[in-house]
Amino acid sequence: MIGSTFSGIHDFFASGTWEVIRNLLLFFLVVFWLAVGYWVYKDARRRIEDPLLVAMAVVLGLIPPYLGALVYMLFRPPEYLEDVRERELEIRAMEERLARRDLYCPVCRAEVSADFLVCPVCTTKLKQACETCKAPLEPVWQVCPYCETPIEARPTLELGPPVEPPAIEPPRRSRRRSSK
Ligand SMILES: [Zn+2]
Ligand SMILES: [Zn+2]
């Protein structure tokens, strides 16, 4: 009885069936190994810019088999390149929005040019013009940069947004006036 069982097992291993199963197993192991390597390649390409580093990641994903891919997953960059790029674009757009903030009319929010004296939409006075050369002047300027005319009276620019802190300028202006 026992002897016949053993001989049955022996027959099974000796037969071609075992060989087929073993070869199939090996085949799937190799296919899965290559698939893991391909996955590492695709993943690394989305996360790493340098082609040399991508190639190194693929080598690591293949050797040692399976274990290398695990090591790669531990040390791969946490972000996709496209996410990084998208975030950088967003930050740049936000910076541009911030930089352009002063180029809106403070009353009607219409877009205005830096050299506009009044808002063309709501006619709010935006800037004072130089008395001599009619150039638009910034509220904090004390002398016209185009013709060197000292800026005398400060008009009521109650609606103009003070860009710089105004605390610095009064003593300087009074000194200039007294010396004149
Ligand atoms: Zn306006
Ligand atoms: Zn001027």
Side-chain angles (χ1 to χ4, degrees), residues 108-120:
C108 69
R109 310 308 301 169
E111 237 174 291
V112 292
S113 226
D115 54 354
F116 282 4
L117 296 176
V118 293
C119 170

Side-chain angles (χ1 to χ4, degrees), residues 80-134:
Y80 288 136
L81 286 173
E82 54 190 286
D83 289 347
V84 175
R85 270 186 216 120
E86 205 171 290
R87 198 185 49 219
E88 276 168 5
L89 278 181
E90 236 164 66
I91 289 175
R92 202 171 312 149
M94 205 185 296
E95 279 172 353
E96 269 169 27
R97 271 202 299 277
L98 282 176
R100 275 206 322 246
R101 193 186 47 180
D102 294 327
L103 295 180
Y104 287 101
C105 167
V107 175
C108 69
R109 310 308 301 169
E111 237 174 291
V112 292
S113 226
D115 54 354
F116 282 4
L117 296 176
V118 293
C119 170
V121 178
C122 69
T123 69
T124 302
K125 187 149 179 60
L126 299 171
K127 277 181 182 151
Q128 184 190 3
C130 172
E131 284 175 11
T132 313
C133 70
K134 304 296 174 199

Side-chain angles (χ1 to χ4, degrees), residues 133 135-138 141 143-149 151:
C133 70
L137 304 171
E138 293 293 333
W141 288 351
V143 64
C144 173
Y146 306 103
C147 67
E148 292 184 76
T149 306
I151 298 164

Side-chain angles (χ1 to χ4, degrees), residues 43 47-48 57 60 67-79:
D43 191 77
R47 293 171 194 269
I48 304 170
L60 176 67
L67 203 66
L70 278 178
V71 173
Y72 163 76
M73 281 174 75
L74 288 179
F75 292 105
R76 66 185 178 180
E79 277 183 308

